[in-house]
Amino acid sequence: MARALDLAWRGWGRVAPNPLVGAVVLHNGELVGEGWHAEYGAAHAEPAALRAAGDRARGATLVVTLEPCAHHGRTPPCIDAILAAGIRRVVIALEDPNPIAAGGAALLRDAGVEVAMGLRAEEAAAQNAAFLHRVRVGAGPFVALKLATSLDFRIADAAGTSRWISGMEAREYVHWLRAGFDAVAVGLGTARADDPSLTARGTPEPRVPARRVVFDRQLELPHGLRLVSEQPASTIVIGEPSAPEERAQALEARGVRVFRAPDAAAALRRLRDEGVASLLVEGGGRLAGGLLAAGLVDRFYWIQAPVWLGDAGVPAVRGLPTAALADAKRWRVVERRSLGADTLLVLDRP
Ligand SMILES: NC(=O)c1ccc[n+]([C@@H]2O[C@H](COP(=O)([O-])OP(=O)(O)OC[C@H]3O[C@@H](n4cnc5c(N)ncnc54)[C@H](OP(=O)(O)O)[C@@H]3O)[C@@H](O)[C@H]2O)c1
C-alpha cells in the first residue's frame, strides 16, 4: 500500500477533479504490476496495473488506494477489469465517498473476490483531502494555508523582505504544491510587497493552471503588479460590497475579474461557485490570521527555515483570538520531512 500511495502522487496536478489513485498487483508476494491514474479522462489506476501484470494477475492480489469504481464514467467500471483479470483478493485503503462511483467493494465480494478495506486509510484520506472535501462538504473550497517562516514565526524581516526565507528545495516544493490547486491566493499586503506571479513553474505542469486570487477589501491592487499586468492565468480580486465601483471597472478593463463578498466565508463560497474546489493561500499574515480566526483553513503547509528574524519581523499570523491552552484544539500532523535545510510540516484541522 505504501508503494501504491507513492504511485498515486504521480497524478498530482493532472487528474483533478478526480482523486489520486495508485495500485499494485502482487502474485505470490511478488510485485508484478504497477499503475496510477495519470491523467484526467485516461485509464484508472487498477486497469493500468492489471495491464502491466498481464497473465500474472490471475489469482493475484490487487492493492489499491481507493475503492475501485463501479460506474461507467469516462472509462468503464474498474470492477469489470478486476473480475476479467481473475484477481482473487483486493486490498483497499479508502472507501469511495462519491455516491456515483461507490459500491465497488460490495460488488467484488458478491462476485466471490476477497476484499479488505481500511489499510493505511488515514494516509490515503490525507492524500485526497481536497477530493474528499469536495464530495463530503461541497460548500466551500478545500482551503490550505502555506507559509514559509523563520524559527520565530516571522514571514518577512523588519523591512518586509521575505525573499528568500526558505531554500531552493522548499521553493521547488511550493511550485509542485501549486500545481495541485484550482487557485492560489494572497492578501493585498503580499501582492504589494512581493509582486508575485503565483504561477506553478515547476513539475508537474498543471493540467489546468491555477487561477490567482487577491483579497483586497477596497480594490486598491496597483495595476502595475504582475497579478494584473501578466495574464498567463486569470486573476480574481475579492473586495467588499462597499468598494468603489470605478476601481472595479478599472481592474476589469485590464482583464481582472472582481468579486464582491461581505466576508471571507462568502468569498470562499463565491470561489466555489466559480469551480474553485481547492484554494492554496500563500499569505500574508493578516489574511492567514483572518482565515484561521474564522475557522476556514483546512490544512497548513508550514515551511520552517533555520533562521531567526526577531521581534520587528512580520508576524506569520495576525489577529488570532486568544485561546486558553486547555481549550486549544490540537492540529493533526499528516506529514513531516526535510526540504533541504528547511522543515516541512503539514497539519490538518482537527
Ligand atoms: N514567507 C512567506 O511565506 C510569506 C508569504 C506571504 C507574504 N509574506 C510577507 O508578508 C508581508 C505581507 O503580509 P501582511 O500581513 O502585511 O499582508 P497580507 O495578509 O498579504 O494582506 C493584508 C491585506 O489583505 C486584506 N485582507 C485580509 N483578509 C481579507 C478578506 N477576508 N477580504 C478582503 N481583504 C482581506 C487586508 O485587509 P484588512 O487589513 O482590512 O484585513 C489587508 O489589506 C510581506 O512582507 C510579504 O513579503 C511572506
Side-chain angles (χ1 to χ4, degrees), residues 146-148 155-156 160 162 165 187-190 193-194 215-217 238 263-264 282-288 314 318:
K146 177 240 105 189
L147 293 172
I155 50 173
S162 68
I165 287 186
L188 175 65
T190 300
D194 298 348
F215 285 81
D216 171 12
R217 290 185 204 280
I238 299 178
D263 56 35
E282 297 203 20
R286 276 179 287 167
L287 179 58
V314 179
R318 276 190 267 202

Side-chain angles (χ1 to χ4, degrees), residues 141-148 174 177-178 181 183-187 190 198 213 215 268 271 278-292 296-301:
F142 173 75
V143 178
L145 171 66
K146 177 240 105 189
L147 293 172
V174 171
L177 197 60
R178 283 178 186 164
F181 282 82
V184 180
V186 290
T190 300
L198 297 186
V213 177
F215 285 81
L268 294 177
L271 289 171
S278 60
L279 178 71
L280 181 67
V281 178
E282 297 203 20
R286 276 179 287 167
L287 179 58
L291 294 173
L292 282 166
L296 295 170
V297 177
D298 300 299
R299 172 168 288 182
F300 180 31
Y301 292 94

Side-chain angles (χ1 to χ4, degrees), residues 24-34 49-50 52-63 85-89:
V24 300
V25 180
L26 298 172
H27 189 96
N28 293 333
E30 187 196 341
L31 199 154
V32 294
E34 294 187 333
L50 293 169
D55 288 345
R56 299 217 275 173
R58 196 149 295 281
T61 296
L62 174 76
V63 181
I87 288 287
R88 194 178 56 78
R89 182 164 184 254

